[in-house]
Amino acid sequence: MLNSANNNFVQHAQVVSTSTEGNMNGYNRKSPQKRRYDMPKYAVPPKKKSGKERVPQPKNTVAMLNELRHGLIYKLESQTGPVHAPLFTISVEVDGQKYMGQGRSKKVARIEAAATALRSFIQFKDGAVLSPLKPAGNLDFTSDEHLENGIENVSKAELVELIYTLMLPEKKSNLTSLEQSTLRPQIFCMSHNATKSTIAVDGQKKVPDKGPVMLLYELFNDVNFECMNIDGAQNNCRFKMTVTINDKKFDGTGPSKKLAKNAAAKAALASLCNISYSPMMAPQKNAPLPIDEKSSSMELPQIHADTIGRLVLEKFMEVIKGQEAYSRRKVLAGIVMTENMNFCEAKVISVSTGTKCVSGEHMSVNGAVLNDSHAEIVSRRCLLKYLYAQLDLQCNQATAYQSIFVRNTDGQYPYKLKSGVHFHLYINTAPCGDARIFSPHENDTGVDKHPNRKARGQLRTKIESGEGTIPVKSSDGIQTWDGVLQGQRLLTMSCSDKIARWNIVGIQGSLLSAIIEPVYLHSIVLGSLLHPEHMYRAVCGRIEKSIQGLPPPYHLNKPRLALVTSAEPRNQAKAPNFGINWTIGDTELEVVNSLTGRTIGGQVSRITKQAFFDKYGFLMKNLPGMPNRKVTKDYGETKADVKDYQTAKQELFSAFKREDLGSWLKKPIEQDQFGLVE
């Protein structure tokens, strides 16, 4: 019995073992088959649909309503019904009216509430199209009227219909590509301009929330990017991307393809939709830029800024041909002139490069050297040369009509600029001094973290034969001729300080101030390193509260500011000791040794004090309508006789002192003690 039981137990165990083994083997055999069967479902990703197969979904009523009315708040009014089948009631207030919606979920109830609100001023037609309840003349998409007259003539109800029509894929197909590409950006711009809260932060425009490339793809269907070329070495290359939209091309450059693509998209948006990504658009909330009485902001339109930068760069490449050895530069500047802000016919007046100042041992007692060869300062001196040439035209009745100046019959100055003439300064980087020494990416715009050290706004000086600036001492600094010759460094005020001076006394200089009304810069465009608050403070903001008593028509000028979309690359190379200058009308380039202040051939430059004093003497003798034609004094005394200019200049110096920003350093007086060449 025991053996029989044991045998049965063993047999039963063998059966169980065999059954289990069979099941395990069966499981092992079936499991791989199942995995092999399911493998493609998980391991192989589904094929992506091509752009042609992808069908965009229309936006729901909540998204639609939020685009038409910003800042809406949806409230849960009630929840009824059993727990397993609740009924939610949600409300939304639009234009002071409350609209209700119900649904089995809060999301559905919100959609219904938004649909109810939309039906209050638009209604669904044939289940797809929204049309006005009170039609004011439907827009015919087959006509060209909307293309000729612009979107401004479309009523608000029609605008809603256009927006919704463009959002629906089945209706979008009924429009031609031209109508889509024309209406879409116009509607976008109108919908963004309709509500101030969407474009304003403390009265200032703000940068769009979306990136430029994404926004461009949303506004236009036919967008094609292409990498045109790559310049420079592998570790410091520049990419150039071109975007084509409706047969229009826009370029952008950058240190990577992504940044170059962004720059091209920004240029396209600025030109086609007047959408700007400039840092001027969104200043920090705690210290917004002031708004003047003539404009809603200090920003120059982006399309104008890009035009100015492009014109100066193109002119530089044109004039440097044949002398490529002198194309090496660290700072490039130029001045562009427009009439009635017509940038299609803008003229480049001057182009210059340079970053150095004259060495003290090369100072001149007869005004024969250039003391400051920084690019923006040289461009302004080239502009002076142009102004003298334009006044020369007034000396001959046959050419007087060609001049940008006209006789001033009702003022104290014999001549003034024609109405609508504006000058725009371009610099490829922030001017040295107060505008550049602080980080361009700095977000802290409050009080300096070191209250005992007043750094921001301080007057600063350049160092001879070198780069960079240092703060001036608060005491009256006097530079002497013999001190400099014995080894004391010759100091020159920084470019930021000189631009601030131009915004008080004008860019025409003291000699021309005896002949013409003050001339001010309309805008300053930078190629890189634009920090709105630092730049504004440097060129005009630091003295705006303390400047007073300026003799009319002198005043504090606040130039428009802007940054080009394709930022200038950072140049790490050592700055050359030469600079070039060119003025409209010149037949050839002039190359100046920055350390000696003379041309590389040792000649006197055409934009020195000596050259301008000679031109001034000629004008005083030959210009019609001049009350006093005698020039018997030396250069320094002649400048001192222009009383209103000197009053404005002294008031500028006093304003800096009142703000405790330092004292303006002057060159040794011996530099100006020379007379006219006989």
Side-chain angles (χ1 to χ4, degrees):
M1 288 290 295
L2 183 60
N3 292 335
S4 177
N6 290 337
N7 291 335
N8 291 336
F9 176 78
V10 171
Q11 291 177 357
H12 177 70
Q14 290 175 346
V15 170
V16 172
S17 175
T18 305
S19 175
T20 304
E21 183 180 358
N23 288 341
M24 289 298 293
N25 292 338
Y27 175 80
N28 290 337
R29 285 196 302 270
K30 290 181 180 180
S31 180
Q33 292 178 356
K34 184 176 182 180
R35 282 201 294 268
R36 283 197 299 271
Y37 177 79
D38 291 337
M39 183 97 39
K41 183 176 180 181
Y42 298 102
V44 179
K47 293 184 178 179
K48 292 185 178 180
K49 294 182 179 180
S50 64
K52 296 182 180 178
E53 296 176 353
R54 188 178 300 150
V55 179
Q57 297 298 318
K59 298 183 180 181
N60 63 34
T61 54
V62 175
M64 180 68 182
L65 185 62
N66 286 342
E67 291 195 3
L68 298 177
R69 299 289 190 275
H70 296 268
L72 298 180
I73 299 177
Y74 293 83
K75 293 183 180 179
L76 177 63
E77 296 289 340
S78 64
Q79 177 181 345
T80 59
V83 177
H84 66 278
L87 182 65
F88 297 93
T89 301
I90 286 183
S91 68
V92 60
E93 186 172 330
V94 180
D95 297 334
Q97 182 70 34
K98 183 179 288 189
Y99 301 94
M100 314 291 287
Q102 290 185 333
R104 291 299 182 183
S105 67
K106 293 180 182 179
K107 179 179 179 181
V108 173
R110 271 198 304 271
I111 292 175
E112 287 299 319
T116 305
L118 286 172
R119 290 190 184 98
S120 67
F121 52 93
I122 52 180
Q123 68 180 12
F124 288 97
K125 181 179 179 182
D126 298 331
V129 180
L130 290 176
S131 60
L133 283 174
K134 297 180 181 180
N138 291 329
L139 182 65
D140 182 9
F141 286 117
T142 62
S143 71
D144 293 332
E145 181 180 358
H146 62 284
L147 299 179
E148 295 173 358
N149 299 333
I151 202 74
E152 292 81 1
N153 297 327
V154 181
S155 66
K156 191 172 184 179
E158 289 173 320
L159 175 63
V160 173
E161 181 180 7
L162 292 176
I163 295 175
Y164 193 77
T165 302
L166 289 178
M167 289 178 180
L168 289 172
E170 65 272 15
K171 291 299 175 183
K172 186 170 69 174
S173 61
N174 294 334
L175 300 179
T176 66
S177 59
L178 175 62
E179 288 167 344
Q180 291 182 38
S181 60
T182 303
L183 288 175
R184 189 196 298 244
Q186 290 181 343
I187 291 173
F188 175 85
C189 296
M190 279 205 65
S191 64
H192 275 64
N193 292 333
T195 308
K196 290 184 178 180
S197 62
T198 63
I199 63 170
V201 177
D202 296 331
Q204 303 279 343
K205 290 181 180 179
K206 65 179 182 180
V207 175
D209 296 330
K210 296 180 180 179
V213 176
M214 179 185 294
L215 188 56
L216 196 65
Y217 276 119
E218 288 190 3
L219 295 181
F220 298 93
N221 289 329
D222 188 16
V223 178
N224 296 306
F225 285 93
E226 183 181 1
C227 183
M228 302 304 292
N229 59 21
I230 304 175
D231 296 328
Q234 184 177 2
N235 59 346
N236 189 26
C237 60
R238 295 284 293 178
F239 295 87
K240 180 181 179 181
M241 298 289 290
T242 296
V243 60
T244 305
I245 303 172
N246 298 333
D247 297 329
K248 293 183 178 180
K249 295 183 181 294
F250 304 92
D251 296 330
T253 60
S256 67
K257 288 184 178 180
K258 179 180 179 181
L259 293 178
K261 193 175 182 180
N262 279 343
K266 290 177 183 178
L269 290 171
S271 177
L272 299 176
C273 301
N274 194 25
I275 298 173
S276 174
Y277 284 79
S278 167
M280 294 298 300
M281 299 290 289
Q284 280 71 21
K285 283 189 175 182
N286 57 343
L289 292 178
I291 301 174
D292 66 7
E293 67 279 1
K294 296 181 181 179
S295 174
S296 60
S297 76
M298 290 287 295
E299 187 216 12
L300 181 74
Q302 188 65 60
I303 186 173
H304 294 167
D306 288 341
T307 301
I308 291 170
R310 175 178 55 81
L311 288 175
V312 172
L313 287 170
E314 288 177 352
K315 181 58 69 174
F316 172 72
M317 297 306 295
E318 176 187 330
V319 301
I320 204 68
K321 283 184 178 179
Q323 300 192 57
E324 283 77 6
Y326 301 108
S327 63
R328 189 162 57 96
R329 45 91 178 178
K330 204 161 190 177
V331 180
L332 169 69
I335 292 179
V336 174
M337 183 183 74
T338 59
E339 295 188 40
N340 300 317
M341 296 300 286
N342 181 7
F343 282 85
C344 295
E345 298 181 2
K347 297 179 181 178
V348 179
I349 303 301
S350 64
V351 173
S352 59
T353 64
T355 55
K356 301 288 182 67
C357 293
V358 69
S359 174
E361 61 183 311
H362 294 289
M363 289 189 304
S364 173
V365 292
N366 55 7
V369 302
L370 283 179
N371 289 327
D372 191 342
S373 289
H374 281 232
E376 51 267 60
I377 307 304
V378 174
S379 268
R380 179 254 177 182
R381 296 196 70 81
C382 290
L383 175 62
L384 290 183
K385 180 171 175 284
Y386 175 73
L387 297 182
Y388 277 108
Q390 290 296 303
L391 285 171
D392 282 343
L393 296 175
Q394 290 286 346
C395 296
N396 189 338
Q397 189 174 358
T399 58
Y401 74 96
Q402 302 174 8
S403 174
I404 62 172
F405 293 103
V406 293
R407 293 287 294 271
N408 191 9
T409 56
D410 56 353
Q412 58 178 321
Y413 299 90
Y415 292 86
K416 63 179 180 181
L417 275 180
K418 286 181 179 178
S419 177
V421 175
H422 294 110
F423 295 103
H424 312 268
L425 172 65
Y426 170 79
I427 319 171
N428 72 329
T429 186
C432 68
D434 192 48
R436 195 194 298 175
I437 59 173
F438 301 101
S439 170
H441 310 293
E442 191 176 53
N443 292 323
D444 179 19
T445 56
V447 181
D448 197 302
K449 294 182 179 179
H450 301 277
N452 295 328
R453 185 195 72 211
K454 296 183 178 179
R456 293 177 181 172
Q458 286 286 312
L459 291 173
R460 304 178 72 88
T461 62
K462 309 165 188 173
I463 302 174
E464 68 171 57
S465 307
E467 295 182 76
T469 59
I470 57 174
V472 300
K473 296 180 180 179
S474 298
S475 59
D476 291 336
I478 299 177
Q479 300 191 88
T480 61
W481 186 274
D482 51 353
V484 172
L485 291 181
Q486 290 178 9
Q488 184 180 357
R489 280 190 162 182
L490 181 64
L491 301 179
T492 304
M493 297 306 296
S494 72
C495 292
S496 293
D497 299 332
K498 288 189 175 183
I499 293 175
R501 173 172 169 166
W502 301 345
N503 284 324
I504 294 293
V505 301
I507 55 178
Q508 75 287 340
S510 55
L511 293 182
L512 283 180
S513 297
I515 304 175
I516 62 175
E517 288 186 353
V519 178
Y520 294 100
L521 289 172
H522 182 268
S523 68
I524 302 175
V525 178
L526 298 186
S528 63
L529 301 185
L530 172 64
H531 189 290
E533 290 150 29
H534 293 325
M535 185 67 182
Y536 175 81
R537 179 193 63 241
V539 301
C540 60
R542 47 184 166 163
I543 54 173
E544 63 179 337
K545 294 181 180 179
S546 59
I547 198 75
Q548 58 190 16
L550 293 174
Y554 290 93
H555 64 277
L556 173 62
N557 177 56
K558 297 179 180 180
R560 302 288 181 266
L561 304 175
L563 178 72
V564 297
T565 51
S566 294
E568 181 85 4
R570 179 169 175 253
N571 190 346
Q572 302 179 14
K574 185 179 179 181
N577 291 332
F578 59 81
I580 64 102
N581 69 80
W582 174 90
T583 310
I584 186 171
D586 288 343
T587 57
E588 59 183 13
L589 202 65
E590 182 177 80
V591 184
V592 176
N593 184 332
S594 304
L595 304 184
T596 64
R598 295 177 179 268
T599 67
I600 54 174
Q603 305 299 316
V604 177
S605 171
R606 54 197 178 192
I607 54 174
T608 58
K609 296 178 181 179
Q610 182 186 96
F612 290 155
F613 197 29
D614 290 342
K615 294 178 183 293
Y616 173 79
F618 175 83
L619 290 178
M620 296 303 288
K621 292 180 181 179
N622 299 281
L623 199 60
M626 295 303 299
N628 182 14
R629 297 188 175 277
K630 293 183 179 180
V631 183
T632 58
K633 300 177 181 178
D634 64 30
Y635 178 78
E637 291 177 344
T638 303
K639 291 199 304 181
D641 283 344
V642 187
K643 299 301 183 185
D644 284 353
Y645 181 92
Q646 296 300 328
T647 300
K649 185 175 71 172
Q650 290 303 320
E651 175 53 34
L652 167 74
F653 298 162
S654 299
F656 278 117
K657 284 186 178 181
R658 283 193 290 269
E659 292 291 338
D660 196 22
L661 299 177
S663 300
W664 196 279
L665 291 184
K666 300 177 182 179
K667 292 288 196 308
I669 59 175
E670 289 83 358
Q671 280 200 335
D672 291 345
Q673 294 176 344
F674 64 92
L676 288 172
V677 178
E678 295 296 336

